[in-house]
Amino acid sequence: MKITINNQKIAVKEGQTILEVARQNKIDIPTLCYHSDLTIQASCRLCLVEIEGRPGLYTSCSTKVEDGLVVKTESENIARARKINLELLFAQHREECADCIYHGRCQALKICRQLKGKINGFTDRKKDKPTFKFGPALEFDSSKCIDCRLCVDMCHRQGIDFLELEYHDGLYEVVPSKDPKKDCIYCGQCLMHCPVGAFEGVGEYEAIEKPLQEEGKTVVFQFAPSIRTTIGEEFGMPYGSVVTGHLFAGIHALGAKAFDTSIAADVTTVEEAKELVERLEKKEPLPMFTSCCPGWVKFCEFYYPEFIPNLTTVRSPHMIMGGLIKTYWAQKEGLDPKNIIVVSIMPCLAKKYDITREELWLDKGALKPVDYVLTTREFAQLLRKRKINLKEVKPEEPVAPFPLPTGAGVIYGASGGVMESALRTAYEKITGKTLPQLEFKNVRGLQGVKKAVVDIAGRKLKVAVVNGTINARKILAELKIDPHAYDYIEVMACLGGCIGGGGQPVPVNEEIRQQRAASLYQVDEKSVIRCAHNSPFVKNLYQEYFNNQDNIKKICHTTFKKKNKEVNR
Amino acid sequence: MNLDLIQKIAQVNLLGRGGAAFPTAKKWEMVKNEPGKQKYVICNVSEGEPKVYKDGYILENYPQELISGILLAMKTIGGSAKGFLYLRKDYYQKYQEKFLKIIGSAPIEIFCEPGGYLGGDESAACEAIEGRCTEPRQKPPYPTQKGLWGCPTLINNAETLYYVDKIFKNSYKNTRLYSVNGNVEKSGVYEFNVDLTIAQVLKENCNFPKIDFFVQVGGGASGRILLANELDQPVSGAGSITVYDQKKTDPYQLMQEWSEFFVRENCDKCTPCREGTLRIREMVAKKKLEVKVLQDLFFVLEQTSFCSLGKSVPTPFYDLLTKVMGIKL
Ligand code: SF4
Ligand code: SF4
Ligand code: SF4
Ligand code: SF4
Ligand code: FES
């Protein structure tokens, strides 16, 4: 099958849309309501093309190819229609470019420049629309919403349906649900898929300097596993650039201490493998679920509290890291933990919620392991504000006592990484032998559900790896029928895991997630030590500080409870 | 000659009476030829356009014939077809009980339409019955291929199915229903030959105005505006004629009503229709019409709207502005 676009003959496959074909062939067609992750909305009406022999204009995102179609992507009529529709869209959108997650680099402005349109062709009709706060995690400013409904589709695809359309005075508007049975899980996938920055993290970007403004404190930044392959994008570096050394340098340039959260991911792994082995021996409660994703934890606590006993009690890496900084490290440095500020640079909006969970505070609430969470985007903005260009800094090394992590601690950032790390360690724990082959390739990749059976000394361990909460629903439904269907399950709320998290740079799509994840696995491959239990730091820690159960319990474990609706309006 | 029902319908050239005038036989043929065990028939009585009452007239006067038409359709398209009587809310409240009795144990379900005008759009009707928001779907696939729950679905207007029953009984006389109202002596629903011109319809029922007037034809919002010297043509769309007194009608008031209607009844999905109708309403309310802006809005509404509702918005405004108000567009 062949079609012609702008005089260029192109071979196409049945089922493709004109837009897909054009993009593959580097023919630019402006779009706002199209996202390759989501359902075709065909609502912005910008991706217009002409088809020879047919009257009128067609939206390329929703028009399928047919043999012999002759398509034009530019004409006077097309340009006129695009421009008018774009100006109508801008009439719904209150621009706030300096404080926007796109910081002036959104598609809308790009298209506007191309078409020489005006962003104020009509008066802003939504300027008085409210901002909704979704817990301590994110905000939805409806005065920026252009009604593309991608967020509604995204939240639906998460299996949450917290974002709804509500009818007011003849108009449908996107609003958070009042239904007591629906609550936001703070995954931020809506934000990642909004073309015009109507969602942002709480405090993004007004509060990013706060951690550095506290007087007389030692400020420590830790950065999550996935950050090293994503933040480069904010500084114009290619997708998947590994910038671990740059991150150390950037944080040091702010005058703060820098630690790699992956170090603590190794601790999480060791504890989690230990718990898995114990549960396998006791045969309950199984399957065990990972719990390092606070989006998933909230989902479980709110929608499926009956599965709370199945969550591993092991804390997420940044919480363990925070706890260690304020105890173990503070002692070593002779610092009063009250004078230490811990800031986590996270791929995640749910982590902003995580640090408000009292179950995770130490010493009966007197000591918070983590004081602030900045997203990847917020941290990048902080660096920009302080005129630190990550692309140009000279990479630096970590300093003792928190040296380089293992490869296992780094792959935490991709869906399947936690599972793979835990399996590497659990295998040795159970068999006493080293794994012949470290890679568990069938738990890698971006598919929503991955299943595998792992043979550990004759015991067949049934595992599942899930990203996207709708897929968690599927697995939980399976478990209701057959409680023994799995032994160990990893769930990450965000598409692709944390590399696609709600705090990451925008835009994002399958290809971008792919490159971010691939680079994490490359770091693992190049690491000298690739199993968490072999980390010299971990070994030392268990000798020096985790030599008593109280310390382990306090720093590494937590509890969960059934949640009622938290986000009301 | 022993013709099957579809051939009979084709022979009398019955066209859909919902407004789009699609050949009924062709549509039936399409659904019949679609493979699939489960098929559906939806009898559409959403009658969303203001000033059109003919479907309600059938509900009131010919309920038996209507149900008979639905059953004929179900039988003809094959599969184990199920029927839906898709009623506008007020019709549902008024006629539900009566129809329950007539339907008895036949596999026809009565469904109360949630939304407004767009509920009349074929694919939006499917969305509604499936329990989603009444938004039009991307076409293709057409409902004839993948309608309700992905099954081949025949959607016909009530008047169409009423006449199918007549065709089946060999009593169809090439007529249709006309809603006549506005500034006339005797408003009401009339049955006349399909080929009558607008002027003839008005004369036949002694409604031809003696004043200076213009009419809106084919729907009380999206219908065309025609002047007294343009009435020598058949009645289009949903078969309505509304007469307006040229001297006493405030065009702004009329446009206000239309724009209110479109703002209220559209699904707000696509940019030109959602924003365009709002901006038209705004301008009309302020009585400040900017020709350039109107031209732009009409252009995108007509050229880029997702569904036929949006595409039809400019028609009445354009007609009224140019013909009645003498504005050059
Ligand atoms: S999306 Fe953000 S950058 Fe783009 S116009 Fe709106 S406020 Fe400005
Ligand atoms: S909030 Fe963003 S994604 Fe959601 S409908 Fe509005 S513009 Fe679209
Ligand atoms: S954060 Fe997640 S759950 Fe909450 S509204 Fe957005 S997509 Fe839905
Ligand atoms: S997948 Fe990662 S980024 Fe997303 S909510 Fe979970 S922990 Fe946060
Ligand atoms: S991208 Fe095609 S209509 Fe929005």
Side-chain angles (χ1 to χ4, degrees):
Chain A
M1 204 156 54
K2 270 202 168 76
I3 68 170
T4 310
I5 305 182
N6 302 345
N7 299 323
Q8 184 182 340
K9 277 216 163 38
I10 303 170
V12 297
K13 283 199 262 352
E14 179 156 2
Q16 285 186 297
T17 61
I18 294 174
L19 179 67
E20 280 162 12
V21 174
R23 294 238 158 126
Q24 275 168 10
N25 289 277
K26 307 248 171 321
I27 299 167
D28 188 38
I29 299 178
T31 63
L32 271 187
C33 73
Y34 172 79
H35 197 293
S36 50
D37 286 345
L38 301 173
T39 311
I40 289 166
Q41 305 293 325
S43 63
C44 74
R45 316 309 277 181
L46 293 182
C47 65
L48 303 161
V49 297
E50 281 174 13
I51 299 177
E52 207 178 273
R54 299 186 192 177
L57 302 174
Y58 291 81
T59 44
S60 58
C61 67
S62 62
T63 309
K64 296 252 162 77
V65 293
E66 287 168 44
D67 197 26
L69 281 191
V70 180
V71 178
K72 263 202 329 206
T73 68
E74 304 292 337
S75 77
E76 221 173 281
N77 269 351
I78 293 173
R80 179 177 176 211
R82 283 180 186 161
K83 186 168 155 189
I84 299 166
N85 282 342
L86 185 75
E87 289 182 355
L88 286 170
L89 286 166
F90 266 114
Q92 298 178 262
H93 176 72
R94 193 174 56 82
E95 298 82 27
E96 211 183 8
C97 305
D99 189 30
C100 171
I101 61 168
Y102 287 98
H103 40 86
R105 293 189 306 188
C106 64
Q107 280 303 313
L109 283 178
K110 190 180 140 206
I111 300 167
C112 199
R113 277 191 295 270
Q114 281 170 355
L115 294 170
K116 300 193 174 59
K118 293 194 289 276
I119 61 172
N120 54 0
F122 298 90
T123 47
D124 270 352
R125 75 167 171 89
K126 288 188 171 176
K127 58 181 188 307
D128 300 322
K129 292 281 172 194
T131 293
F132 302 97
K133 202 168 165 217
F134 297 0
L138 61 163
E139 277 177 5
F140 167 42
D141 182 346
S142 60
S143 72
K144 293 182 184 158
C145 170
I146 59 163
D147 288 313
C148 71
R149 301 181 185 174
L150 285 174
C151 58
V152 178
D153 186 48
M154 185 63 241
C155 194
H156 172 68
R157 282 165 179 262
Q158 282 288 62
I160 309 291
D161 284 318
F162 179 67
L163 296 173
E164 298 178 339
L165 295 174
E166 201 172 76
Y167 192 69
H168 284 292
D169 287 339
L171 283 170
Y172 284 98
E173 289 169 358
V174 177
V175 290
S177 175
K178 282 180 178 162
D179 186 339
K181 291 201 192 61
K182 289 180 186 167
D183 206 7
C184 174
I185 62 160
Y186 315 127
C187 65
Q189 289 301 296
C190 47
L191 175 153
M192 297 303 287
H193 291 82
C194 175
V196 291
F199 293 88
E200 58 180 30
V202 168
E204 185 168 3
Y205 293 114
E206 316 82 53
I208 51 175
E209 288 185 286
K210 261 170 87 182
L212 295 172
Q213 285 160 344
E214 299 204 32
E215 298 270 319
K217 303 276 165 117
T218 304
V219 183
V220 181
F221 281 79
Q222 57 167 321
F223 57 91
S226 62
I227 312 296
R228 72 204 67 212
T229 68
T230 63
I231 196 169
E233 293 165 28
E234 289 272 334
F235 296 89
M237 295 164 84
Y239 293 115
S241 301
V242 180
V243 293
T244 321
H246 303 71
L247 273 164
F248 282 112
I251 297 168
H252 291 152
L254 289 173
K257 305 266 181 214
F259 295 146
D260 185 342
T261 309
S262 290
I263 288 281
D266 286 334
V267 180
T268 301
T269 301
V270 167
E271 282 300 311
E272 198 158 316
K274 202 158 81 185
E275 188 177 338
L276 178 66
V277 173
E278 278 163 20
R279 288 191 190 220
L280 288 171
E281 277 163 10
K282 279 197 296 188
K283 299 211 178 340
E284 59 163 19
L286 284 174
M288 184 172 90
F289 285 109
T290 60
S291 72
C292 49
C293 166
W296 149 242
V297 168
K298 161 91 198 249
F299 177 83
C300 182
E301 290 179 317
F302 182 77
Y303 291 101
Y304 293 89
E306 64 275 25
F307 283 103
I308 287 176
N310 298 69
L311 292 169
T312 170
T313 60
V314 181
R315 294 175 175 221
S316 68
H318 86 124
M319 278 293 166
I320 294 182
M321 189 60 147
L324 286 174
I325 289 168
K326 293 205 178 174
T327 58
Y328 176 66
W329 184 74
Q331 277 166 27
K332 273 188 187 288
E333 299 286 308
L335 290 170
D336 180 352
K338 294 212 163 50
N339 290 328
I340 302 175
I341 299 287
V342 174
V343 189
S344 297
I345 307 167
M346 294 283 124
C348 184
L349 291 169
K351 291 254 146 82
K352 287 186 184 261
Y353 159 75
D354 202 31
I355 59 169
T356 67
R357 291 178 65 109
E358 293 179 18
E359 305 88 277
L360 289 162
W361 297 351
L362 308 177
D363 299 342
K364 299 203 169 62
L367 198 61
K368 293 186 195 169
V370 175
D371 301 279
Y372 296 94
V373 164
L374 294 185
T375 61
T376 318
R377 293 186 302 269
E378 287 178 305
F379 181 65
Q381 180 74 355
L382 178 60
L383 291 178
R384 278 193 293 266
K385 206 155 182 192
R386 298 286 169 109
K387 307 260 178 304
I388 300 165
N389 186 344
L390 211 61
K391 199 172 162 182
E392 265 136 38
V393 294
K394 198 164 152 280
E396 291 175 19
E397 295 286 316
V399 278
F402 296 119
L404 278 175
T406 70
V410 171
I411 58 174
Y412 256 65
S415 165
V418 178
M419 168 71 68
E420 184 165 343
S421 303
L423 288 178
R424 288 180 191 175
T425 294
Y427 184 92
E428 279 214 34
K429 253 187 125 44
I430 295 172
T431 63
K433 294 193 206 113
T434 31
L435 254 175
Q437 157 92 22
L438 285 182
E439 293 84 8
F440 290 88
K441 290 250 160 77
N442 38 9
V443 298
R444 296 185 178 182
L446 298 178
Q447 315 86 281
V449 182
K450 292 161 278 184
K451 299 175 182 177
V453 178
V454 183
D455 193 325
I456 303 188
R459 191 187 199 295
K460 299 248 185 292
L461 199 69
K462 289 172 284 180
V463 303
V465 172
V466 161
N467 68 83
T469 37
I470 195 149
N471 297 311
R473 279 198 195 277
K474 291 181 198 153
I475 293 282
L476 294 172
E478 262 184 70
L479 285 172
K480 295 225 158 148
I481 298 164
D482 176 9
H484 305 296
Y486 302 99
D487 299 305
Y488 185 29
I489 300 170
E490 176 199 299
V491 185
M492 294 289 159
C494 297
L495 301 187
C498 302
I499 41 109
Q504 296 285 29
V506 280
V508 78
N509 59 35
E510 184 89 0
E511 240 166 83
I512 296 172
R513 288 190 293 265
Q514 188 66 51
Q515 296 184 45
R516 292 171 175 178
S519 294
L520 289 180
Y521 287 110
Q522 272 166 24
V523 174
D524 171 40
E525 231 145 79
K526 287 190 204 137
S527 300
V528 187
I529 305 170
R530 296 179 63 191
C531 292
H533 54 279
N534 294 333
S535 147
F537 166 77
V538 170
K539 287 184 179 165
N540 196 31
L541 180 72
Y542 277 82
Q543 272 165 20
E544 273 185 33
Y545 187 63
F546 283 172
N547 47 16
N548 74 65
Q549 284 304 315
D550 288 347
N551 281 355
I552 295 181
K553 194 156 182 264
K554 168 172 152 184
I555 305 292
C556 297
H557 291 265
T558 185
T559 54
F560 307 98
K561 56 173 186 274
K562 182 176 173 351
K563 288 264 148 71
N564 292 322
K565 187 172 167 95
E566 294 169 326
V567 183
N568 293 299
R569 70 175 160 104
Chain B
M1 198 167 53
N2 205 354
L3 294 174
D4 74 14
L5 185 54
I6 294 188
Q7 286 168 319
K8 274 174 141 179
I9 295 171
Q11 204 177 40
V12 300
N13 192 24
L14 183 68
L15 304 178
R17 298 285 163 83
F22 190 82
T24 305
K26 220 167 149 186
K27 204 181 210 177
W28 284 39
E29 196 72 50
M30 274 153 52
V31 183
K32 190 182 165 195
N33 292 341
E34 277 294 322
K37 265 204 178 131
Q38 184 65 59
K39 296 183 183 180
Y40 295 98
V41 173
I42 300 175
C43 171
N44 190 353
V45 204
S46 78
E47 197 152 62
E49 280 263 350
K51 309 213 160 61
V52 183
Y53 312 111
K54 53 148 186 116
D55 291 345
Y57 178 81
I58 293 175
L59 297 181
E60 177 68 36
N61 298 298
Y62 303 106
Q64 295 280 6
E65 287 83 346
L66 182 60
I67 295 298
S68 158
I70 300 174
L71 289 169
L72 284 168
M74 285 157 58
K75 208 169 113 195
T76 310
I77 59 166
S80 52
K82 180 169 175 191
F84 283 93
L85 182 60
Y86 184 78
L87 296 180
R88 196 169 91 185
K89 196 164 179 181
D90 53 333
Y91 288 164
Y92 179 86
Q93 282 157 351
K94 198 162 165 198
Y95 298 113
Q96 187 212 16
E97 278 187 27
K98 177 162 107 180
F99 275 97
L100 277 176
K101 276 191 207 120
I102 299 174
I103 291 168
S105 61
I108 299 176
E109 194 177 305
I110 306 178
F111 188 88
C112 179
E113 177 200 42
Y117 185 53
L118 249 199
D121 177 279
E122 296 204 335
S123 57
C126 293
E127 292 281 293
I129 294 179
E130 287 179 34
R132 282 194 290 268
C133 170
T134 39
E135 260 179 24
R137 289 181 186 168
Q138 185 64 46
K139 285 166 242 174
Y142 293 92
T144 49
Q145 305 164 296
K146 284 189 164 89
L148 270 183
W149 296 289
C151 301
T153 303
L154 175 71
I155 307 177
N156 274 151
N157 165 265
E159 186 186 336
T160 315
L161 289 169
Y162 163 68
Y163 280 117
V164 162
D165 179 60
K166 289 207 148 188
I167 294 168
F168 177 73
K169 293 176 183 146
N170 298 320
S171 59
Y172 177 63
K173 299 252 159 49
N174 210 26
T175 55
R176 72 174 296 177
L177 298 176
Y178 296 89
S179 313
V180 182
N181 47 52
N183 222 309
V184 291
E185 302 261 317
K186 291 180 287 180
S187 58
V189 176
Y190 298 89
E191 183 171 12
F192 293 125
N193 194 290
V194 293
D195 301 324
L196 290 199
T197 64
I198 301 160
Q200 282 168 329
V201 172
L202 289 175
K203 279 177 190 146
E204 281 283 334
N205 56 31
C206 310
N207 268 328
F208 201 86
K210 296 174 190 76
I211 45 165
D212 281 345
F213 73 102
F214 60 89
V215 294
Q216 186 169 25
V217 175
S222 67
R224 301 213 58 170
I225 296 291
L226 298 172
L227 302 180
N229 60 6
E230 297 175 305
L231 305 183
D232 193 19
Q233 50 179 309
V235 182
S236 54
S240 71
I241 306 173
T242 305
V243 175
Y244 289 98
D245 183 330
Q246 182 125 17
K247 287 209 184 75
K248 290 196 187 132
T249 306
D250 174 2
Y252 281 97
Q253 161 102 34
L254 195 52
M255 289 194 288
Q256 188 72 33
E257 281 169 25
W258 294 336
S259 48
E260 290 292 345
F261 172 81
F262 288 123
V263 167
R264 189 175 64 237
E265 302 298 334
N266 67 0
C267 75
D268 295 336
K269 182 189 175 91
C270 73
T271 309
C273 186
R274 180 186 61 242
E275 300 304 315
T277 54
L278 276 177
R279 296 296 168 179
I280 292 174
R281 183 176 72 172
E282 189 181 62
M283 268 190 275
V284 170
K286 286 188 190 144
K287 298 200 180 178
K288 259 171 91 184
L289 305 179
E290 289 174 66
V291 169
K292 162 83 175 57
V293 179
L294 280 174
Q295 284 169 339
D296 281 352
L297 295 177
F298 291 170
F299 177 71
V300 288
L301 274 160
E302 221 167 69
Q303 297 282 317
T304 73
S305 289
F306 188 98
C307 78
S308 55
L309 172 78
K311 292 195 162 101
S312 75
V313 171
T315 307
F317 293 98
Y318 183 88
D319 284 351
L320 190 77
L321 290 165
T322 54
K323 293 182 188 175
V324 178
M325 298 169 76
I327 294 173
K328 268 216 170 64
L329 277 174

